[in-house]
Amino acid sequence: MNKLWNRSLKTKWMLTTGLTIFISYAAICIVTFFALQSWLLSAEEQNATRTAEDLSSFFASQGFAVTIQDLQNQSGLMQAILTQDQTVRLFHLDGREILQINNAAPAVALPAELRHTHIEKMEVAGVDAFVIHRAVQIGPLHMILQLVHPLTAFQSMMSYILTTMFLLGIGGILLAAGMSYLASTLLIRPLQDLRNSMEAVKEGGFASKVDFTYTAQDEIGDLVIIYEEMLAKLEQSFTRQQQFVSDASHELRTPIQSLEGHLSLMKRWGKDDPEVLEESLATSLQDVGRMKKILEELLQLARQENLSQHATANVVEVLAEVEREMRFIYPHATLDRSVVGQIKEANITAEALGQVIRNIYENAIRYCERKPLIHTALHFKGEDVFIEVTDNGIGIAEENIPYVFDRFFKVDDARLHVEGSTGLGLSITKMLIDKYNGDIEVHSQIGKGSVFLLRIPLKL
Ligand code: ADP
């Protein structure tokens, strides 16, 4: 049973259907065969009895003065009453045979006692037959009539029925097996496709997913849809996880660099100068706090959480903070700033804005062959603040501009090799700006520099 349970669905299906059809067919055949047999047998019995009765009536109609000789002369008439294979004999009460009509079967021993009619099924000369013994009155004589009615026709009829049932059964079962094989193949194929796709994903990851062509809206169709949705969700969460890991390592690079700088300052001068120690400790703590918040912001991005309506940032303060950090890490860079309009809070977290500005500043400094000069123009206007960051870097070729915000996009530039370039900075910047309903665009000219234009909604 256990062995059968572990066979393929197709085999189980075929066996079940085949067995069910076989049992039903066999039951119908058995019932029909026995019903037919008893019906035909009783027809044969009636037939034999009727012949015996007809003969008795014939004898009775002969009158009282009839002799055996008269009867023998009328044997042709009596033959007409019988069928070809029936044999009739007349016996004296003492057992002497008087008359015989047809000789298809040998005589049978008379019964020990006979009142009226005695019918029995027995084998006569190797053939099953009905044997009737009946007391008859012929003229003044009491005699015994013996009729042997062989069942040859009945038996050949039964064996014909049996053979037909058997052949039809075999044909039917073969047909049913073929049909159930076809049906199971058709129905199980999508399951096999599903299995193969799962196997492919297991072996080669989401990229090796096999597309399905099964469109029927049945249980298997449901299964395929559920599987594809599940796979899409898994893929999404897997991609987000990977995204978080690479984004985090990209975004933590600068704060870690700054922390490292302050720690080495402390190590070198802090022991003798309590002022340096105090200041470096404070900045280091600030860096650690910022890293914590950057991680939170990235986690929110990865989980695709909605923006907080209460997020506020003092744009000028955030800019000043990032500028200070840049000057510390890149002392050769010059950063300046101008403000137009009334300063207001922006609807973005200070960490997200810090990350955005930091990524733009870092690029401006890193993708620059000259002494970096960065000018930031802030313009508070209506419901938004516009931030324009202009650099004197190498610029971005026109054909690359549409791709700079794509994940992992890096310009292949032989003139400048920048360490640690991952192609992630601007894509994170864009994701953050989108999250807080802002816009970002870039204008650039090779050799002259780039301008990054940001729009961020104000907190109203
Ligand atoms: P990365 O993290 O590698 O700096 P980004 O997504 O920040 O990647 O930038 C993508 C590409 O755009 C960079 O490889 C660089 O070639 C180009 N790029 C970005 N900012 C500037 C800029 N201010 N000046 C020139 N090229 C830039």
Side-chain angles (χ1 to χ4, degrees), residues 250 363 366-367 391 396 409-411 421-426 450:
H250 180 276
N363 282 347
R366 288 178 340 134
Y367 300 106
D391 66 41
I396 307 164
F409 176 81
K410 294 190 277 185
V411 175
S421 169
T422 56
L424 282 173
L426 287 180
S450 315

Side-chain angles (χ1 to χ4, degrees), residues 82-83 284 327:
L82 303 189
T83 56
S284 303
R327 283 188 196 111

